[in-house]
Amino acid sequence: MARWNNAVASATELKNLRKDALYREAAKAFRRNGYHGTSLDEIAEGLGISKPTLYHYVKTKRDLLYQCHMAAAEQALSTVCRDEGITGIERLRRTTSAYVRSMIGEQSYSVIILEEKSLSPVQLSTVVHERDRFEGALISMVLEGQQDGTVLPGEPRFVVFNVLGAVNWVTKWYRPGGSWSEADVGEGVAGFVCRGLASPGVTIDGSQLLPRLPLTATMSVRKTLST
């Protein structure tokens, strides 16, 4: 019989919750100070625990960075829009918006990509493999959009690299608590990126930061750029 009707978390569940809190706190510290500028003492202090307690969950700072990257990769995959009833460009827009919000939200595991150089070769290979899965999903959306006529022609992989270049940089300039909400930034960045990829005549939803353009205005801009 389940104790307390499973109302009380088991030892395993508690450990996983603590690991989750650890990875989020570590990712936040790495984003703020960089890998080399962050100490395990600082992370332990941020969690309100002792450093010996921290060692029950992670042995080295490098391993902690690796776990943050893996958690971030899993989080990125969870943002992929899998609605097959919409166009390729709309799937890309929704995914991009959700991905941005996941990176800048309180539950983010996102770590500055340049910090991956601090990983071991084996760790880096695993992280890159997981990241390729997310990039592959985006490439599929671009291909789908090109096939259904909503995305401009172009090498899909090159397109995705440019999208991620713009999107991943959001963590460098976004500051929580300002006048821009996470939702505003997510929708705004997604709208901005996808407007540049959309075929003539395709309208992209906007946001408070990037109002939706009327179809006539969109076509007028396209015509001006092409002359």
Side-chain angles (χ1 to χ4, degrees):
M1 179 181 295
R3 298 179 61 192
W4 297 94
N5 289 328
N6 292 321
V8 179
S10 67
T12 300
E13 289 170 334
L14 282 173
K15 186 173 183 178
N16 289 336
L17 286 171
R18 289 165 180 163
K19 281 185 177 180
D20 183 73
L22 168 59
Y23 299 158
R24 284 189 277 109
E25 182 65 29
K28 187 187 303 181
F30 290 143
R31 289 196 301 272
R32 182 173 60 246
N33 303 322
Y35 175 75
H36 296 290
T38 300
S39 68
L40 291 181
D41 289 298
E42 177 186 354
I43 294 171
E45 182 179 351
L47 289 168
I49 62 175
S50 66
K51 192 173 179 180
T53 299
L54 185 64
Y55 282 126
H56 284 294
Y57 301 93
V58 63
K59 298 305 179 185
T60 67
K61 186 170 70 168
R62 174 186 281 179
D63 287 340
L64 183 53
L65 177 66
Y66 169 69
Q67 293 300 334
C68 288
H69 271 295
M70 293 300 290
E74 183 178 347
Q75 188 174 53
L77 283 169
S78 73
T79 67
V80 172
C81 175
R82 305 190 184 279
D83 186 347
E84 298 181 355
I86 57 179
T87 63
I89 192 72
E90 179 59 15
R91 284 186 65 206
L92 183 64
R93 189 195 69 79
R94 294 185 188 184
T95 298
T96 302
S97 177
Y99 178 51
V100 169
R101 284 182 276 121
S102 76
M103 288 195 299
I104 63 178
E106 283 295 317
Q107 305 301 314
S108 176
Y109 303 101
S110 180
V111 182
I112 298 173
I113 292 178
L114 294 178
E115 299 292 4
E116 66 188 14
K117 295 180 180 178
S118 300
L119 299 172
S120 71
V122 173
Q123 290 173 334
L124 178 58
S125 176
T126 305
V127 168
V128 170
H129 173 75
E130 291 303 303
R131 188 178 300 154
D132 284 348
R133 294 174 60 199
F134 180 60
E135 291 176 359
L138 298 184
I139 289 172
S140 295
M141 293 176 204
V142 172
L143 283 168
E144 181 184 342
Q146 290 174 340
Q147 291 169 1
D148 65 28
T150 57
V151 175
L152 289 168
E155 167 54 46
R157 195 159 176 260
F158 177 77
V159 170
V160 168
F161 283 169
N162 278 274
V163 169
L164 290 176
V167 170
N168 286 329
W169 201 250
V170 174
T171 58
K172 292 292 290 182
W173 55 258
Y174 177 74
R175 295 294 179 268
S179 58
W180 298 346
S181 70
E182 296 166 15
D184 287 336
V185 173
E187 288 292 283
V189 171
F192 181 82
V193 168
C194 289
R195 282 182 185 179
L197 300 175
S199 297
V202 175
T203 57
I204 303 297
D205 284 343
S207 71
Q208 178 180 323
L209 300 177
L210 197 71
R212 179 173 179 170
L213 292 174
L215 178 60
T216 53
T218 304
M219 298 182 69
S220 176
V221 170
R222 296 286 189 186
K223 184 176 181 180
T224 301
L225 291 175
S226 64
T227 56

